[in-house]
Short mmCIF file of all heavy atoms in Angstrom, two decimals:
data_model
loop_
_atom_site.label_atom_id
_atom_site.label_comp_id
_atom_site.label_asym_id
_atom_site.label_seq_id
_atom_site.Cartn_x
_atom_site.Cartn_y
_atom_site.Cartn_z
N ILE A 113 3.27 9.24 -10.69
CA ILE A 113 3.66 9.50 -12.04
C ILE A 113 4.62 8.40 -12.45
O ILE A 113 5.67 8.16 -11.80
CB ILE A 113 4.32 10.92 -12.17
CG1 ILE A 113 3.32 11.95 -11.80
CG2 ILE A 113 4.76 11.17 -13.57
CD1 ILE A 113 3.99 13.40 -11.56
N CYS A 114 4.22 7.68 -13.50
CA CYS A 114 4.92 6.43 -13.85
C CYS A 114 5.47 6.45 -15.31
O CYS A 114 4.97 7.19 -16.17
CB CYS A 114 4.07 5.18 -13.67
SG CYS A 114 3.17 5.14 -12.06
N HIS A 115 6.40 5.57 -15.55
CA HIS A 115 6.97 5.32 -16.90
C HIS A 115 5.99 4.37 -17.73
O HIS A 115 5.21 3.60 -17.12
CB HIS A 115 8.29 4.60 -16.89
CG HIS A 115 9.38 5.56 -16.26
ND1 HIS A 115 10.09 6.37 -17.01
CD2 HIS A 115 9.82 5.66 -14.99
CE1 HIS A 115 10.95 7.03 -16.20
NE2 HIS A 115 10.83 6.56 -15.02
N GLN A 116 6.07 4.48 -18.98
CA GLN A 116 5.41 3.50 -19.93
C GLN A 116 3.89 3.34 -19.65
O GLN A 116 3.45 2.36 -19.00
CB GLN A 116 6.09 2.14 -19.86
CG GLN A 116 7.55 2.15 -20.20
CD GLN A 116 7.80 2.70 -21.53
OE1 GLN A 116 7.12 2.49 -22.52
NE2 GLN A 116 8.97 3.45 -21.64
N PRO A 117 3.07 4.18 -20.25
CA PRO A 117 1.55 4.10 -19.97
C PRO A 117 1.05 2.77 -20.50
O PRO A 117 1.47 2.20 -21.48
CB PRO A 117 1.05 5.26 -20.94
CG PRO A 117 2.23 6.17 -21.06
CD PRO A 117 3.48 5.34 -21.08
N PRO A 118 0.09 2.25 -19.66
CA PRO A 118 -0.55 0.89 -20.13
C PRO A 118 -1.55 1.27 -21.20
O PRO A 118 -1.94 2.41 -21.37
CB PRO A 118 -1.23 0.50 -18.80
CG PRO A 118 -1.49 1.73 -18.06
CD PRO A 118 -0.34 2.65 -18.36
N THR A 119 -1.96 0.23 -21.86
CA THR A 119 -2.94 0.41 -22.95
C THR A 119 -4.38 0.52 -22.50
O THR A 119 -5.23 1.02 -23.20
CB THR A 119 -2.82 -0.75 -23.99
OG1 THR A 119 -3.02 -2.06 -23.34
CG2 THR A 119 -1.43 -0.80 -24.66
N THR A 120 -4.69 0.02 -21.31
CA THR A 120 -5.98 0.06 -20.72
C THR A 120 -6.16 1.17 -19.71
O THR A 120 -5.13 1.75 -19.25
CB THR A 120 -6.37 -1.21 -20.10
OG1 THR A 120 -5.47 -1.61 -19.12
CG2 THR A 120 -6.47 -2.32 -21.12
N GLN A 121 -7.44 1.49 -19.34
CA GLN A 121 -7.69 2.62 -18.37
C GLN A 121 -7.69 2.17 -16.96
O GLN A 121 -7.32 2.94 -16.08
CB GLN A 121 -9.06 3.19 -18.78
CG GLN A 121 -9.26 4.64 -18.31
CD GLN A 121 -8.50 5.63 -19.00
OE1 GLN A 121 -8.03 5.39 -20.17
NE2 GLN A 121 -8.27 6.79 -18.46
N LEU A 122 -8.06 0.97 -16.73
CA LEU A 122 -8.15 0.48 -15.32
C LEU A 122 -7.51 -0.88 -15.24
O LEU A 122 -7.38 -1.61 -16.19
CB LEU A 122 -9.61 0.31 -14.89
CG LEU A 122 -10.51 1.63 -14.86
CD1 LEU A 122 -11.95 1.25 -14.76
CD2 LEU A 122 -10.11 2.53 -13.74
N GLY A 123 -7.09 -1.24 -14.03
CA GLY A 123 -6.58 -2.61 -13.85
C GLY A 123 -6.21 -2.90 -12.41
O GLY A 123 -6.39 -2.08 -11.48
N GLU A 124 -5.84 -4.10 -12.16
CA GLU A 124 -5.41 -4.52 -10.79
C GLU A 124 -4.24 -5.39 -10.93
O GLU A 124 -3.93 -6.06 -11.83
CB GLU A 124 -6.59 -5.23 -10.05
CG GLU A 124 -6.97 -6.57 -10.58
CD GLU A 124 -8.09 -7.22 -9.80
OE1 GLU A 124 -9.00 -6.55 -9.34
OE2 GLU A 124 -7.89 -8.40 -9.55
N ILE A 125 -3.39 -5.34 -9.84
CA ILE A 125 -2.14 -6.06 -9.75
C ILE A 125 -2.27 -6.97 -8.54
O ILE A 125 -2.59 -6.45 -7.41
CB ILE A 125 -0.95 -5.21 -9.63
CG1 ILE A 125 -0.96 -4.23 -10.85
CG2 ILE A 125 0.35 -6.01 -9.79
CD1 ILE A 125 0.09 -3.04 -10.62
N THR A 126 -2.13 -8.24 -8.67
CA THR A 126 -2.34 -9.17 -7.47
C THR A 126 -1.04 -10.08 -7.21
O THR A 126 -1.11 -11.25 -6.83
CB THR A 126 -3.54 -10.05 -7.76
OG1 THR A 126 -3.41 -10.75 -8.97
CG2 THR A 126 -4.78 -9.28 -7.81
N LEU A 127 0.11 -9.52 -7.66
CA LEU A 127 1.31 -10.27 -7.46
C LEU A 127 1.75 -10.30 -5.98
O LEU A 127 1.77 -9.24 -5.26
CB LEU A 127 2.44 -9.64 -8.25
CG LEU A 127 2.24 -9.64 -9.78
CD1 LEU A 127 3.34 -8.74 -10.45
CD2 LEU A 127 2.25 -11.06 -10.30
N ALA A 128 2.08 -11.42 -5.46
CA ALA A 128 2.49 -11.56 -4.03
C ALA A 128 3.90 -10.91 -3.92
O ALA A 128 4.65 -10.90 -4.83
CB ALA A 128 2.52 -13.01 -3.64
N ILE A 129 4.20 -10.41 -2.70
CA ILE A 129 5.47 -9.64 -2.46
C ILE A 129 6.15 -10.25 -1.27
O ILE A 129 5.50 -10.57 -0.22
CB ILE A 129 5.12 -8.18 -2.33
CG1 ILE A 129 4.62 -7.55 -3.54
CG2 ILE A 129 6.41 -7.41 -1.80
CD1 ILE A 129 4.09 -6.11 -3.38
N GLY A 130 7.45 -10.31 -1.31
CA GLY A 130 8.23 -10.71 -0.13
C GLY A 130 9.57 -10.05 -0.18
O GLY A 130 10.03 -9.44 -1.20
N LYS A 131 10.30 -10.08 1.04
CA LYS A 131 11.60 -9.48 1.05
C LYS A 131 12.62 -10.21 0.19
O LYS A 131 12.63 -11.40 0.19
CB LYS A 131 12.06 -9.50 2.56
CG LYS A 131 13.42 -8.78 2.78
CD LYS A 131 13.83 -8.91 4.25
CE LYS A 131 12.91 -8.09 5.19
NZ LYS A 131 13.35 -8.01 6.54
#
Side-chain angles (χ1 to χ4, degrees):
I113 299 170
C114 309
H115 294 273
Q116 301 303 324
T119 55
T120 55
Q121 200 72 19
L122 300 167
E124 65 178 46
I125 308 167
T126 56
L127 298 169
I129 295 173
K131 184 180 293 187

